[in-house]
Amino acid sequence: MPVQFVRARTPAVMLVTAWALTFAAGACAQDLDGDNQPDSLELRQGALDCNHDGVLDGVDIGRPHFTSAIEHLNGIVQFQNNVWDVTPIDFNQDGKMDLAFTIFFSTDEGKIALWRNDGGPGLVFHDEIAFADARPYAIGSGDLDADGMTDLVASDASYNRVFVLRATGPGTFAPAIILQGDSATNGSVGVALGDLDNDGDLDVAATSWGTNKVNVWKNAGGGTFGPRATFAVSYQPRDVAIGDFTGDGFADLAVANEFESANPPSADGTVSLLANTGTGAFTPAGVVTPPRGGAPYNYQPRPKFVELFDIDHDGDRDLLVSSEGSNVVSLHANNGTGTFTLAQSFGGFPIEKDPTDVKVLDLDGDGWEEVVYGDQAESGVSILRNDSGTLVHHQSYASSIYGAFFVALTDVSGDGRPDIISSNDAWRTFSVLVNKGQLVFDAVTRLRPIEYAGSGLLADYTGDGIIDFGEVVQNTLGTIVNFSLFPGIGVVGEARFASTPIVTVITTEAYGVVPFARDFNNDGKLDLLTVGLPQAEVRLGNGDGTFGGPVASPIQPRVNRLTIADYNGDGVLDLMWIFSGHPGYARVSFGDGAGGFGPYTQYTMLREDESVGFGDITGDGAPEFFGGFRQQLAPPAGGVLSWLPNNGDGTFGPRQDRFITDSPLNPPVAAISVADFDNDGDNDVIASARGLRLYRNPGDGNLPATPELVSPTLASILFATDIDLDGDIDLFARNATLSIVLNNGDASFLPPMHMHRYDGTYRDMYIADANNDGRPDAMIRPENSWSQYIFLNFAPVSADKNANGIPDECEGRCRCDFTLDGVVNSTDVSDFINGWFADQANGGLATDFDENGVVNSTDVSEFINVWFEESGGDCGV
């Protein structure tokens, strides 16, 4: 598949408009069905997802599936509550793992939210448990009273206490029992459950952030607790882990001391080790100081989360610590008696600055447990693969903005593989990253393999047929150091690249260099073009990821207004760009076939350029050059699409202009794409100007004066390719986010699929088959970010062979089988009626049985009529 890369700067007014259009519901969550309402909110409100795969049925059928963590909005109003900790719990006792979250509304006001698993990763909001004058923070689950039902325990971040909620039945809990700590307004922020006195029941340990203590309440049996025991640790303890690290058969404690206000301030944070005396009392057993961050992150460790787990399978529990500030996750090996030695540390990249929660579980079924940690600064999670006791950074995946504050590992999708749950803090959401097997997750791939990375690209530089990943790398001053190429590993279905780059030195003085991948000397090997000050340079590729010396040309094309095409028909690629001014100029420099470019020839254009494009609209095989502009000072009014007709030899005829008007403002032409969108044999032109506007080519290149508005989508980069492999040319659109606009084949377009936004407004976009499965994928770099995000393009999740709007895997299910047990009986009536009353109270649509968008008495009548028809039947589930 040919690879093309076009960049354009996006004016501020354009971004504001794109933001308002794309996320009118007030969130930058994904909107796959393109109705300007976040999918997470629609799932909460009962939008159709009959196969429970976390993809709304409106886009589940017939459209490509792009990797994205399944995000759920915790609340009808998004800015209602932060989502903090999460624990897996089958609270309705149906054999499917549900989730419980702590959520924060305001100072001293929080709740526990219960989300029900009805089959598959798309969860359903179940209920909330309110607390008076409290903020539940850390949460855990376990059977405290030995009644076979799982109970909940949550710390209170406002006051120094712990809440114990004993299960009373499916989805119900008794009023909280309060385990009171010291009188302090800086509350409990870490909680753990474990048998501390070896009596067979679960006890509770919780940190006291303001008093530098860890509190222990021993279970007296039946879920009642004895008096509190208190043990001193160090400054501002956060997380606490329970496990026998001394090897004597009794559970010990490890406590992460954050040292947020340490004395002295220069002191490093620590982990306090407390050994169990054998009775559930504890004595100091040592202190572990995590490493400081490596250069340039030589900061003090501020431990937040700890885990005790036998990573190397030598029979004793090792210590894992995540440390904010020093940007380090560290593994400390146990010598067998509770003495720990630093074994491994992961810092700098791929960790940005804020590794958070750490969890351990075997994710790939090989018998060795992986480590998963959250990274809020990079909006996702990272996986450390366990290679027979040695941890190796495997892959990082995006979850959501402000994710993952806390993480949990459990099988939500019901396929027997543990999925990753990310709570996304101030974004008010949580995400499910579905485990596809072999440590591949259905989530956006995040790449940050090296420090100070700038613009990146995807291209096969090594000649093995596998896409590689390259980045321009900067030093601390922002000047260019080198081009780092990470060869593709070639795992079909996964965008993975080698960890060791092939490095090409570029220069130590250039600034703002951007790379392009093309074959400039026609030898079948990709070359490297770098554009920026002071000049354009080509390094001819050797076909193995290395390059020859620079071939410099004394031209300075603008990286965001550059096109690369054979303009003079000699079979060699040329450069043509806009040089801004009043007026601006189109400048063309012809390639010499050896990586060099000659003096430019220029043609007068308009002022206030916004975008460029190229393509043959006259049918003579020679591409025209297009420019998009803002409204001009002189009449006629409107943003302007201009092009220079190519005479066939790289000289151009008189400029042609088309003016675009709209209300209340005339739009700039922010992006241009040239392709045969209507399948009539000639190339049309689509311009982004407050929506996508189509100039349908009559066959001779004489484009109509007035375009057709074919999509409300905005874009500052457009890339035309067959995204869904149906033979029609579709569009990738880069705006504030990434949008996919699919063509019906006649230049009419489906509602856009708006993908999730990470880190910030998207800047660069690169299209290539990143996972080697034959489908074009999209790579995006957010503004002011050192990370790249790859959205992988897969076949549709579901088919609809009978075209009735219902995914085929949902066919055969009885409409009244609300319990999804394959039989229609009285329990379905109870479930429906309960859900109907709940929908009446909260405005939900889960019981909109006649699918008219309103829940009322007609839904009850229709349900009862259909229930009598289906009652007792086999629903084929």
Side-chain angles (χ1 to χ4, degrees):
M1 174 179 300
V3 178
Q4 179 182 348
F5 186 31
V6 181
R7 286 184 174 86
R9 298 297 178 194
T10 306
V13 66
M14 168 73 179
L15 289 181
V16 173
T17 308
W19 176 278
L21 175 67
T22 306
F23 300 112
C28 283
Q30 73 180 13
D31 176 27
L32 291 177
D33 58 354
D35 64 354
N36 295 327
Q37 180 164 261
D39 295 342
S40 53
L41 179 58
E42 294 181 291
L43 286 173
R44 165 72 188 262
Q45 293 176 329
L48 289 179
D49 178 25
C50 64
N51 53 8
H52 297 282
D53 63 356
V55 180
L56 297 181
D57 292 344
V59 293
D60 204 356
I61 304 170
R63 300 201 201 182
H65 170 70
F66 282 84
T67 52
S68 186
I70 301 166
E71 191 178 30
H72 296 70
L73 185 65
N74 189 63
I76 295 296
V77 180
Q78 183 188 16
F79 299 101
Q80 190 176 38
N81 50 78
N82 290 36
V83 179
W84 278 348
D85 200 5
V86 53
T87 187
I89 173 176
D90 180 13
F91 56 70
N92 62 346
Q93 302 165 34
D94 64 352
K96 295 186 284 286
M97 193 58 70
D98 312 303
L99 299 173
F101 296 86
T102 52
I103 58 177
F104 158 52
F105 286 77
S106 62
T107 302
D108 304 335
E109 184 181 4
K111 297 181 180 181
I112 291 176
L114 303 176
W115 282 76
R116 189 179 69 249
N117 185 351
D118 286 346
L123 281 81
V124 177
F125 177 76
H126 180 80
D127 199 3
E128 289 178 340
I129 302 172
F131 294 82
D133 195 26
R135 283 186 301 167
Y137 183 74
I139 191 170
S141 57
D143 186 0
L144 298 172
D145 51 8
D147 64 353
M149 294 185 289
T150 305
D151 311 303
L152 290 171
V153 174
S155 66
D156 182 359
S158 291
Y159 302 99
N160 210 355
R161 57 190 177 182
V162 171
F163 301 110
V164 175
L165 294 88
R166 290 164 56 182
T168 56
T172 60
F173 295 86
I177 300 170
I178 297 177
L179 305 180
Q180 187 63 53
D182 296 324
S183 298
T185 55
N186 288 319
S188 298
V189 291
V191 69
L193 302 179
D195 186 1
L196 300 177
D197 52 7
N198 281 15
D199 64 353
D201 49 35
L202 294 175
D203 309 305
V204 176
T207 58
S208 175
W209 194 86
T211 61
N212 304 331
K213 298 175 181 177
V214 60
N215 298 315
V216 170
W217 291 271
K218 289 191 284 188
N219 192 338
T224 61
F225 292 85
R228 169 176 62 103
T230 301
F231 306 94
V233 286
S234 199
Y235 296 104
Q236 292 84 48
R238 291 193 69 94
D239 195 23
V240 55
I242 296 176
D244 176 17
F245 58 73
T246 58
D248 61 0
F250 297 100
D252 309 307
L253 300 178
V255 179
N257 304 305
E258 188 175 14
F259 274 56
E260 183 173 290
S261 55
N263 187 14
S266 60
D268 291 344
T270 63
V271 176
S272 295
L273 303 175
L274 302 176
N276 196 329
T277 62
T279 61
F282 296 87
T283 184
V287 173
V288 172
T289 301
R292 289 195 168 207
Y297 302 110
N298 190 26
Y299 306 142
Q300 295 167 274
R302 295 287 183 256
K304 274 192 170 183
F305 293 91
V306 289
E307 281 289 307
L308 290 166
F309 202 92
D310 185 6
I311 296 294
D312 53 9
H313 289 194
D314 64 352
D316 50 46
R317 290 179 181 258
D318 308 304
L319 175 67
L320 283 158
V321 185
S322 74
S323 174
E324 182 183 10
S326 59
N327 309 356
V328 169
V329 172
S330 55
L331 171 64
H332 305 260
N334 192 340
N335 71 348
T337 62
T339 299
F340 293 90
T341 303
L342 178 64
Q344 289 183 267
S345 63
F346 299 84
F349 66 91
I351 300 174
E352 174 80 7
K353 66 178 180 180
D354 193 8
T356 51
D357 197 10
V358 179
K359 290 293 189 294
V360 184
L361 193 66
D362 182 6
L363 299 177
D364 57 1
D366 67 350
W368 292 89
E369 295 78 11
E370 278 68 44
V371 174
V372 177
Y373 64 85
D375 187 349
Q376 277 198 289
E378 289 292 333
S379 306
V381 300
S382 292
I383 298 171
L384 302 178
R385 177 174 53 84
N386 192 338
D387 185 5
S388 301
T390 300
L391 299 179
V392 179
H393 181 262
H394 173 76
Q395 190 61 280
S396 297
Y397 293 100
S399 58
S400 180
I401 298 177
Y402 301 134
F405 187 36
F406 284 89
V407 297
L409 308 177
T410 189
D411 179 16
V412 173
S413 59
D415 59 4
R417 294 186 293 257
D419 307 308
I420 301 175
I421 315 301
S422 162
S423 69
N424 303 326
D425 195 15
W427 199 237
R428 281 79 173 176
T429 68
F430 69 91
S431 302
V432 179
L433 287 70
V434 179
N435 189 341
K436 310 299 288 185
Q438 302 301 313
L439 297 183
V440 177
F441 287 80
D442 194 359
V444 175
T445 300
R446 178 176 70 82
L447 295 177
R448 189 188 174 214
I450 203 162
E451 294 290 354
Y452 299 116
S455 297
L457 54 75
L458 297 168
D460 179 16
Y461 272 114
T462 55
D464 57 1
I466 299 170
I467 294 294
D468 310 310
F469 170 62
E471 286 189 299
V472 172
V473 181
Q474 306 174 6
N475 64 10
T476 56
L477 298 178
T479 55
I480 301 305
V481 177
N482 58 43
F483 175 74
S484 293
L485 183 71
F486 298 85
I489 293 177
V491 179
V492 174
E494 184 179 8
R496 286 194 59 212
F497 306 91
S499 58
T500 302
I502 301 170
V503 177
T504 299
V505 175
I506 297 177
T507 177
T508 58
E509 298 179 358
Y511 179 78
V513 168
V514 172
F516 296 86
R518 298 290 192 279
D519 181 6
F520 290 102
N521 61 346
N522 292 335
D523 65 351
K525 303 170 186 175
L526 283 179
D527 309 311
L528 176 66
L529 166 66
T530 53
V531 178
L533 298 177
Q535 60 195 5
E537 295 180 341
V538 170
R539 290 164 174 81
L540 299 178
N542 296 318
D544 58 0
T546 65
F547 303 90
V551 179
S553 300
I555 54 175
Q556 298 177 3
R558 292 178 63 195
V559 298
N560 57 331
R561 297 289 189 271
L562 174 66
T563 64
I564 305 173
D566 179 11
Y567 281 105
N568 61 354
D570 65 352
V572 176
L573 292 175
D574 312 308
L575 304 183
M576 194 165 183
W577 68 97
I578 287 183
F579 177 79
S580 293
H582 293 75
Y585 296 94
R587 293 177 171 175
V588 59
S589 180
F590 299 123
D592 62 8
F597 300 93
Y600 62 78
T601 302
Q602 70 180 23
Y603 298 83
T604 303
M605 299 295 282
L606 300 172
R607 60 184 289 277
E608 302 293 342
D609 57 281
E610 289 288 321
S611 56
V612 292
F614 70 92
D616 174 23
I617 63 171
T618 61
D620 63 357
E624 277 66 52
F625 176 80
F626 290 82
F629 301 86
R630 299 186 191 183
Q631 178 171 312
Q632 301 303 293
L633 295 175
V640 188
L641 172 71
S642 296
W643 72 95
L644 296 173
N646 195 332
N647 294 321
D649 58 358
T651 63
F652 296 87
R655 188 186 74 241
Q656 303 292 306
D657 298 327
R658 297 293 184 269
F659 292 83
I660 301 175
T661 60
D662 204 347
S663 178
L665 298 174
N666 292 322
V669 175
I672 302 167
S673 183
V674 182
D676 184 7
F677 293 105
D678 57 5
N679 285 317
D680 65 351
D682 52 44
N683 284 331
D684 312 296
V685 179
I686 286 183
S688 174
R690 193 170 294 123
L692 299 184
R693 300 173 188 263
L694 171 70
Y695 288 90
R696 200 180 295 267
N697 191 346
D700 58 1
N702 186 23
L703 301 182
T706 303
E708 307 167 33
L709 183 64
V710 292
S711 175
T713 303
L714 303 181
S716 48
I717 297 178
L718 288 172
F719 187 94
T721 188
D722 186 2
I723 297 174
D724 53 2
L725 304 188
D726 65 351
D728 305 318
I729 300 298
D730 312 302
L731 287 167
F732 283 103
R734 188 216 72 177
N735 34 55
T737 179
L738 168 68
S739 299
I740 290 91
V741 189
L742 299 179
N743 188 350
N744 289 316
D746 57 357
S748 66
F749 293 86
L750 292 171
M753 301 167 63
H754 301 307
M755 309 309 293
H756 206 303
R757 186 172 67 88
Y758 301 99
D759 282 357
T761 298
Y762 287 166
R763 303 298 289 175
D764 300 340
M765 180 171 76
Y766 212 100
I767 307 301
D769 182 9
N771 62 343
N772 310 292
D773 67 350
R775 291 175 171 266
D777 310 305
M779 183 173 74
I780 289 288
R781 180 174 68 91
E783 189 173 22
N784 301 320
S785 175
W786 289 334
S787 291
Q788 311 275 354
Y789 293 84
I790 297 180
F791 294 81
L792 296 178
N793 177 4
F794 291 104
V797 176
S798 300
D800 179 23
K801 294 179 180 179
N802 59 2
N804 66 350
I806 301 175
D808 291 342
E809 55 264 51
C810 297
E811 299 282 12
R813 185 175 75 82
C814 298
R815 294 180 65 200
C816 294
D817 182 19
F818 265 67
T819 59
L820 301 178
D821 60 0
V823 177
V824 173
N825 53 29
S826 60
T827 59
D828 298 299
V829 177
S830 299
D831 269 26
F832 177 82
I833 295 299
N834 290 336
W836 188 87
F837 279 111
D839 285 345
Q840 291 290 302
N842 61 27
L845 295 173
T847 56
D848 180 18
F849 200 72
D850 56 9
E851 299 181 2
N852 66 352
V854 179
V855 171
N856 53 28
S857 59
T858 60
D859 297 299
V860 178
S861 299
E862 182 165 350
F863 175 83
I864 295 300
N865 291 335
V866 177
W867 185 89
F868 277 111
E869 295 175 4
E870 297 181 343
S871 181
D874 183 357
C875 296
V877 178

